[in-house]
Amino acid sequence: QVQLVESGGGLVQAGGSLRLSCKASGRIFRINAMGWYRQAPGNQRELVANIISGGTTNYTDSVKGRFTISRDDAKNTVYLQMNSLKPEDTAVYYCNAEILSSLTVIKRPWGQGTQVTVSS
């Protein structure tokens, strides 16, 4: 099995910063991509940012220039540095990954979610 464990959420004032971490563990042959999604009450889950093998990154427009995604392959960990936070960034943030457990088995696990609350 493959698991993702997130950490780093919390309460911060508008304009502040937080750093989220997500570590993958278990049967891992290779990690193709890792990313962060978020879901605010009453809204659908949306992609915030992802990073694929080779380092290519993608961001949703609302976080460009404020959030930075990075990964440490040696630690099977992805990070989301969130700066200049706004109240509208308030949501539960979920980690997601595409992981090869073997040459033929692909897993797409979700983390348990971490709450980010930005006060005005």
Side-chain angles (χ1 to χ4, degrees), residues 6-24:
E6 301 132 339
S7 62
L11 172 64
V12 65
Q13 289 187 329
S17 298
L18 285 173
R19 188 193 194 208
L20 306 183
S21 299
C22 171
K23 182 176 177 60

Side-chain angles (χ1 to χ4, degrees), residues 2-4 22-35 51-55 70-78 95-102 105-109:
V2 178
Q3 285 185 314
L4 301 176
C22 171
K23 182 176 177 60
S25 62
R27 188 177 177 86
I28 299 173
F29 175 71
R30 187 176 72 229
I31 299 178
N32 287 339
M34 299 187 81
I51 182 167
I52 63 176
S53 297
S70 60
R71 60 190 275 185
D72 184 333
D73 290 337
K75 297 180 179 180
N76 292 331
T77 299
V78 65
C95 180
N96 178 252
E98 182 178 283
I99 297 172
L100 272 66
S101 293
S102 69
V105 177
I106 298 176
K107 304 288 188 182
R108 296 182 177 88

Side-chain angles (χ1 to χ4, degrees), residues 49-60:
N50 64 10
I51 182 167
I52 63 176
S53 297
T56 300
T57 58
N58 297 286
Y59 298 91
T60 191

